Amino acid sequence: MHDPTPSAPFHHFAVRLDHAPLRMGWLLDGKRTDTNMPEDHISFIPAGASFTGWLNRPVDFVCLYFTPSALTAAAGEEAMVAAKSEIRPVLGVQSPTLCRLVRALHSDAVQGHPYGRVLGESIFLSMAALLVNDGRIVSRKLYREGIGDRRIRRTLDYIHAHLDQEIDVCSIAAAAATSPYHLSRTFRISLGCSIWQYVSRNRVQLATGLMKDSALTLAQVASMSGFESYSTFAATFKADRGVSPARFRSGL
């Protein structure tokens, strides 16, 4: 199936409804992505993005469309940091609570909204809070402020786009169009820390947002934040935040 969708002024959020195995993909900004789409995974296409998508079979999706202003109103201007937030397209990222909330909205619509607008608005407010705290979807562009070196800006963009994935200095340097040695030296001068200190710190920040989804185990949070093991995650998190992940989560 091919579904060319023109650029639209609203965000497009999709969650599957059936249970059979599914393979799907899209071509977005010249980049092709394919993935399996388990039941607790979502796809999100930001407003203004144009894409071509395909599926390996017919499938029932529930789709939610909302404008950037609606998201800002629900999450709060402060949470979106005004124009300092960037919403990325994502295909097949695990988010069980967001899936549950979207399906609840669908169920409410199918039943004819028996509780009026209150239920739907409450669900959307919960969705907005999770969305803006999910660093895989919403990232803060503040990390680029004050960085004059174009190679360091490219480095930061690459790191923040791949925090939840396996990355290495060579791939980062290639994205920045420089050598690993020169990048490591220049990065420390510009940011005051090593590349891996920066990556670890921001993976902890990503994990902190994901912890707000109570349906995710801490082991899942660790994996989804790019840590190679839970022990590495726990040690890094405690060194950065001063408490264990479990203790931190208990206080949310």
Side-chain angles (χ1 to χ4, degrees), residues 175-240:
T178 187
S179 70
Y181 172 79
H182 183 78
L183 176 62
S184 297
R185 180 174 177 274
T186 306
F187 191 94
R188 184 178 287 276
I189 292 172
S190 299
L191 277 297
C193 63
S194 71
I195 292 174
W196 291 114
Q197 286 172 326
Y198 185 88
V199 169
S200 295
R201 185 187 310 148
N202 281 275
R203 281 179 169 163
V204 167
Q205 182 62 36
L206 173 59
T208 300
L210 293 176
M211 281 186 197
K212 296 183 179 182
D213 187 342
S214 59
L216 294 173
T217 67
L218 287 176
Q220 288 175 314
V221 168
S223 176
M224 293 159 62
S225 301
F227 289 95
E228 61 183 16
S229 68
Y230 180 77
S231 59
T232 300
F233 164 60
T236 305
F237 191 96
K238 187 170 185 178
D240 186 84

Side-chain angles (χ1 to χ4, degrees), residues 3 18 61 64 81 100-101 104 108 124 133 148 172 175-176 186 203-204 221 240 245 252:
D3 179 24
D18 65 11
F61 274 103
L64 179 64
V81 199
R100 178 176 57 79
L101 291 170
D108 180 57
F124 185 69
N133 283 288
I172 297 171
T186 306
R203 281 179 169 163
V204 167
V221 168
D240 186 84
L252 292 176

Side-chain angles (χ1 to χ4, degrees), residues 9-38:
F10 45 74
H11 301 312
H12 176 184
F13 197 114
V15 173
R16 54 178 298 195
L17 291 176
D18 65 11
H19 308 287
L22 173 68
R23 186 78 181 171
M24 64 181 296
W26 63 26
L27 181 66
L28 183 72
D29 296 331
K31 181 179 179 181
R32 179 186 174 106
T33 304
D34 296 273
T35 186
N36 293 319
M37 191 71 170

